[in-house]
Every structure is written in C-alpha cells, then in structure tokens.
C-alpha cells in the first residue's frame, strides 16, 4: 500500500460579476443577528416572468502544492471569463424559476513572462475550453435568494480541466444568489450556510453578511468540508482519498438589486488550504 500526503497550498479564487448540480429541498436558514436601524429597505427579488438578465464573470486562480514535503510548481490562470444568461420562466410567491445558459467561455493568453507551469496550465485549459460542450440548465431560487435547485451542465464525458471549470461556474452561481431577509435597514447583519462543490470537494460555506449605509452588502466567508461526502479531486486517482485538514476563508462585496436575480455587481476573494492523504494499492 502506497500512501502519499498532498498539501494544496492557498488556492486563490477571485470573482467579479456585473450586469450587461444539485437539488435541495431544505432551504438554508437565514439567522438575523441585527435588524439595523432606520427605515428598512426591501431586499427580496421581484422579477416577473419573461425577465432576462446577463452576468459577466472573471475568475482568477493561483495554485501550488506540496507532495510528501516537496513543493510542486505553482501556476496562475487569469482571467477565465464567461457570461451567464438567465431567463425567468415561472414566478410564484415561493420561488423564481429561470433557464440558465453559459456564453463566451474563454481564457486569456498566458503572459509572455509567465512561469513555465503557468504557460502550460493556460495552454491545457484553452484546449479543454475549445471542446467544452454547451452549458445550460435551470435555477430555482426563493425571493430571499435561497437556491432550491441548480442544474448546470453535466459531468459525464468531461475532462479533468473541463470538470474544474464547470464546478467553478456552478459555485459562482451559487455564491452570487446571496440569501437575505425580505427587508433590512443598515447596519443589519445576518448569517447563512450554503453547500457548494469546488475541485471535487463538497464544501459547507458559512456567510456572515452585513448591509452598509451606502447599500453595499459585505460578506465574510468561512468554509469546511461537508461531512459524509467523498473527495474526488479531478486528476487525482487513488483507492482512498482522505481529507486530513481544510481551511477556507474569504471576503466579498456585492450590490443587490431587487429587479434582478443576481447582484448588479460583486467581488469575491477566497483562499483555501487542503491536506489530503492518498492511498494506492
């Protein structure tokens, strides 16, 4: 039995969004810590059937690691860009249903002075995106931003790089829904926990959220592995993969718009460090 220890050192994800699959029957709870003061502002989504909106996203990744105490080469990819189109197909007092479509998925050329591993990572990703199948699906979200259904693309038949990209897109959509009370006054604060998947890990992401006087919503993010879910990192093949430790955290700023499903603008920054034990016969 061969056992290796793999440490994935801080992996950075930056996401910026602006205008122009999993199912869940259990809504993430919204725990209000402070009601704020003054006149409350409506925060609930109020779109109508037929409403259409677009989301433009830039993602940047930086990753490095250690295998059995030896550092591996680091790579950086920036930016990975794509658009998401949403068209509302049904509205009730309990949910908003929308068709989703991913558009213009691309990655920039690696900088001419980039490290060898960064250049290689860019080249491999560009090849993967050239063969990426069309990505579409459906989102069902409550007026208070709680996702009850998110189906986007399919994992079957995807390469490791394509699967990583698809997970990044899904987690971006999940993170930008922003659960919130129906109304709040600054400086109200609330917290909620959502489930996402990234790089083959099921993660529980706790959001501590506050709205400021200028209308900006600020996020503090902490992550932990979801219990009972196996880790299946793309490209890592082993009989047994055990998550020995995981530390994830981040911050973000968004501007909510009740006439949209997604924020009118958002910026998120996340870092994560993972230690895995890998056993092979």
């Amino acid at each position: 039995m061969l056992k290796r220890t793999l440490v994935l050192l801080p992996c950075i994800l930056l996401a910026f969004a602006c205008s122009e699959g999993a199912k869940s029957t259990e809504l993430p709870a919204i725990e209000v810590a402070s009601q704020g003061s003054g006149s409350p502002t409506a925060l609930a989504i109020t779109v109508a059937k037929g409403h259409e909106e677009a989301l433009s996203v830039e993602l940047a990744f930086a990753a490095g690691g250690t295998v059995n105490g030896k550092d591996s080469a680091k790579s950086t990819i920036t930016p990975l860009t794509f658009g998401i189109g949403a068209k509302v197909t049904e509205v009730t007092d309990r949910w908003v249903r929308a068709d989703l479509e991913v558009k213009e998925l691309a990655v920039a050329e690696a900088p001419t002075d980039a490290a060898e591993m960064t250049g290689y990572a860019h080249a491999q990703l560009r090849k993967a995106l050239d063969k990426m199948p069309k990505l579409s699906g459906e989102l069902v979200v409550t007026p208070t931003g709680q996702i009850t259904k998110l189906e986007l693309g399919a994992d079957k038949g995807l390469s490791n790089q394509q699967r990583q990209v698809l997970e990044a897109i899904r987690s971006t959509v999940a993170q930008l829904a922003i659960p919130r009370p129906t109304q709040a006054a600054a400086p109200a604060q609330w917290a909620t926990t959502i489930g996402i998947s990234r790089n083959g890990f099921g993660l529980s992401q706790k959001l501590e959220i506050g709205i400021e006087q200028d209308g900006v919503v600020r996020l503090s993010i902490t992550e932990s592995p979801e219990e009972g879910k196996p880790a299946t990192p793309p490209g890592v093949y082993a009989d047994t993969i055990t998550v020995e430790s995981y530390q994830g955290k981040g911050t973000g700023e968004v501007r909510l718009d009740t006439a949209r499903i997604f924020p009118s603008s958002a910026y998120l920054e996340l870092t994560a460090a993972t230690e895995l034990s890998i056993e092979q016969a």
Side-chain angles (χ1 to χ4, degrees), residues 2-276:
L2 173 64
K3 183 174 181 178
R4 295 184 296 158
T5 299
L6 173 64
V7 180
L8 303 178
L9 295 177
C11 176
I12 302 171
L13 165 64
L14 305 176
F16 175 75
C18 61
S19 56
E20 309 277 290
K23 296 182 181 179
S24 173
T25 56
E26 188 172 324
L27 295 178
I30 299 173
E31 301 174 358
V32 178
S34 171
Q35 295 283 358
S37 59
S39 300
T41 299
L43 300 178
I45 298 169
T46 58
V47 296
K49 182 179 179 180
H51 165 80
E52 296 185 39
E53 64 184 70
L55 187 71
S56 298
V57 181
E58 289 187 5
L59 300 179
F61 304 88
T66 302
V67 180
N68 292 338
K70 296 182 179 180
D71 291 341
S72 62
K74 296 182 179 180
S75 64
T76 302
I77 293 178
T78 179
L80 174 68
T81 60
F82 58 92
I84 298 178
K87 183 175 182 178
V88 175
T89 58
E90 182 185 17
V91 177
T92 73
D93 59 351
R94 296 175 58 192
W95 65 72
V96 174
R97 187 184 304 273
D99 290 336
L100 300 179
E101 182 179 2
V102 177
K103 305 175 181 180
E104 300 175 352
L105 183 58
V107 64
E109 293 279 0
T112 55
D113 59 348
E116 181 179 353
M117 181 55 74
T118 293
Y120 176 78
H122 270 257
Q124 292 299 107
L125 183 56
R126 289 174 67 86
K127 289 180 181 179
L129 295 185
D130 286 342
K131 299 179 180 179
M132 195 79 169
K134 179 181 178 181
L135 300 177
S136 60
E138 186 177 63
L139 170 71
V140 179
V141 61
T142 70
T144 49
Q146 298 148 299
I147 292 177
T148 62
K149 177 183 177 182
L150 173 57
E151 292 181 347
L152 188 58
D155 294 335
K156 186 176 180 180
L158 297 184
S159 68
N160 293 328
Q161 292 92 345
Q162 290 172 334
R163 181 180 155 202
Q164 287 178 309
V165 169
L166 179 55
E167 285 196 342
I169 294 172
R170 287 173 178 161
S171 65
T172 298
V173 173
Q175 289 168 316
L176 290 177
I178 313 296
R180 82 293 297 260
T182 56
Q183 59 180 12
Q189 295 182 324
W190 63 95
T192 190
T193 300
I194 64 173
I196 65 170
S197 180
R198 187 188 308 122
N199 293 330
F201 296 91
L203 300 174
S204 178
Q205 190 177 82
K206 182 177 180 180
L207 307 175
E208 294 181 332
I209 308 168
I211 186 168
E212 306 293 339
Q213 294 288 352
D214 59 3
V216 173
V217 173
R218 290 184 168 80
L219 311 176
S220 177
I221 304 166
T222 54
E223 295 179 336
S224 59
E226 286 192 342
E227 294 184 6
K229 286 197 174 182
T232 56
V236 178
Y237 304 102
D239 297 305
T240 304
I241 300 175
T242 304
V243 180
E244 300 291 352
S245 67
Y246 182 93
Q247 292 181 328
K249 61 182 180 179
T251 58
E253 293 185 3
V254 305
R255 283 193 176 274
L256 299 178
D257 183 344
T258 59
R260 294 174 52 88
I261 298 173
F262 298 111
S264 58
S265 65
Y267 177 86
L268 305 175
E269 181 171 338
L270 300 168
T271 64
T274 310
E275 181 177 350
L276 304 176

